[in-house]
Amino acid sequence: MHLEPIRLADAPCLLCYTSSPQEAARRGTILYYHGLSANKEANSNEYDVLTRAGFLVVGVDNAGHGERRLEDFDERLRDDRPDFESNFLNLVRETALETPTIINALFTQNIAVEGRLGIAGWSMGGYVTYRALLEERRFSAAAVIVGSPEWLLPWDDSPHKHPQAFFPTALLSQVGARDDVVPAQAARDFHDVLTPHYTSKPERLKLVTYPNMQHDPNAEEAHAIQTEMVAWFERFLG
C-alpha cells in the first residue's frame, strides 16, 4: 500500500492506494475519518483492506486534529468540561462542512469519478460521516462504524433531524450493543426512521449490530466490521 501525503483544500490528507491514484479512483474514491484525538494515520488497517479491494482511500485529519491539532486540544476536549459536547460537535461540523471542497479538489486532480465516491468513519468519524451526507450529495455510499446520527445538543443540523436528505445514498451503520461511549440506540432509531425513505431501494440501507461489542472491537469483531465495509463499497461503488 502506498501512502502519499497531500493537502486537499485546507485539509491534510493521505492518499492510500496499491497501483496509482488514478487507477484506484476508477474503482472508487473513499474519504475516511478517524476518531476523537486520533489522526489520519490511525486507521491503517482499514486503509489496507480497502486498498487491497482496489479503492483509493483518502484519510483526512479531522478539524482540530493531526497536522492541524488545536494548541489547547487536551483542555478543550476534556470530557469532564461542561462545554465538551459543544466543542466536540463544532469540530464534527467543521470537518463535515469541508467535504464538498475536498471532493472538488479530488475532481480537479482527476482522482475521483462521478458515481464512485464513498465516505466512511470510525466513532467521531462516524459522526462526521452522517453529518457530511447533509452537505454533499455526490457520495454514492457511506459506512459508519460506532458513530451517532443524533447529537446530544438540540442543534438544528443534527443529522437525525434530516432523514429526507439521505436517500439514495447507500448507508451502512455498524454498532456495538454494549457500547457505552456511543450507544447503539441512536443509530437503530435512525434506521427505523430512514426505512420509509428507502422503500424503493431497501437494499441501500443496512444496520449491523454486534451483540457483545463495546466501543473498541476485539480482533474478530474488527475483521467482521472491515469485511462488511469492503463488501458495501464493492456493491455500491462498482
Side-chain angles (χ1 to χ4, degrees):
M1 177 175 63
H2 300 282
L3 301 177
E4 180 184 333
I6 189 173
R7 207 166 189 94
L8 295 169
D10 291 324
C13 301
L14 273 180
L15 294 186
C16 311
Y17 54 91
T18 56
S19 51
S20 72
Q22 292 75 21
E23 183 177 337
R26 289 194 288 272
R27 172 71 159 144
T29 300
I30 299 167
L31 302 189
Y32 198 101
Y33 291 90
H34 59 76
L36 180 64
S37 82
N39 56 40
K40 63 185 179 299
E41 290 79 17
N43 297 105
S44 59
N45 290 336
E46 287 71 28
Y47 301 164
D48 182 60
V49 297
L50 288 166
T51 57
R52 281 193 282 113
F55 296 109
L56 173 63
V57 180
V58 182
V60 186
D61 274 336
N62 296 353
H65 290 69
E67 293 180 39
R68 48 182 176 174
R69 186 179 176 91
L70 297 169
E71 291 184 3
D72 62 344
F73 183 95
D74 291 336
E75 174 61 25
R76 190 184 301 193
L77 276 300
R78 203 179 68 234
D79 60 11
D80 62 344
R81 284 179 61 116
D83 59 352
F84 165 82
E85 198 67 28
S86 62
N87 291 339
F88 169 71
L89 292 176
N90 273 317
L91 292 180
V92 168
R93 174 192 280 156
E94 184 178 345
T95 307
L97 288 173
E98 70 184 4
T99 53
T101 59
I102 292 175
I103 295 298
N104 290 341
L106 290 168
F107 276 106
T108 297
Q109 299 195 32
N110 296 313
I111 48 177
V113 174
E114 187 175 350
R116 296 194 173 184
L117 286 169
I119 183 170
W122 163 269
S123 194
M124 178 186 182
Y127 281 76
V128 171
T129 299
Y130 284 126
R131 181 61 182 81
L133 295 178
L134 304 186
E135 297 299 320
E136 179 53 71
R137 302 301 301 162
R138 288 173 286 183
F139 291 119
S140 295
V144 176
I145 305 165
V146 295
S148 177
E150 182 173 353
W151 294 357
L152 295 182
L153 297 179
W155 294 1
D156 289 340
D157 59 335
S158 176
H160 82 290
K161 296 183 177 183
H162 303 274
Q164 73 286 348
F166 284 77
F167 183 81
T169 303
L171 176 63
L172 167 68
S173 299
Q174 300 191 74
V175 297
R178 298 177 60 192
D179 189 342
D180 59 0
V181 177
V182 183
Q185 195 59 48
R188 290 171 173 166
D189 291 344
F190 189 53
H191 273 252
D192 288 342
V193 172
L194 286 175
T195 297
H197 296 273
Y198 281 77
T199 52
S200 64
K201 294 186 177 180
E203 71 279 3
R204 299 183 71 85
L205 184 65
K206 185 175 184 180
L207 173 70
V208 179
T209 301
Y210 297 91
N212 297 314
M213 193 173 86
Q214 301 179 23
H215 192 63
D216 294 312
N218 59 34
E220 181 180 354
E221 291 161 343
H223 178 73
I225 287 168
Q226 292 167 6
T227 300
E228 285 278 357
M229 176 179 64
V230 171
W232 193 254
F233 286 124
E234 288 180 329
R235 183 176 184 184
F236 292 108
L237 295 187

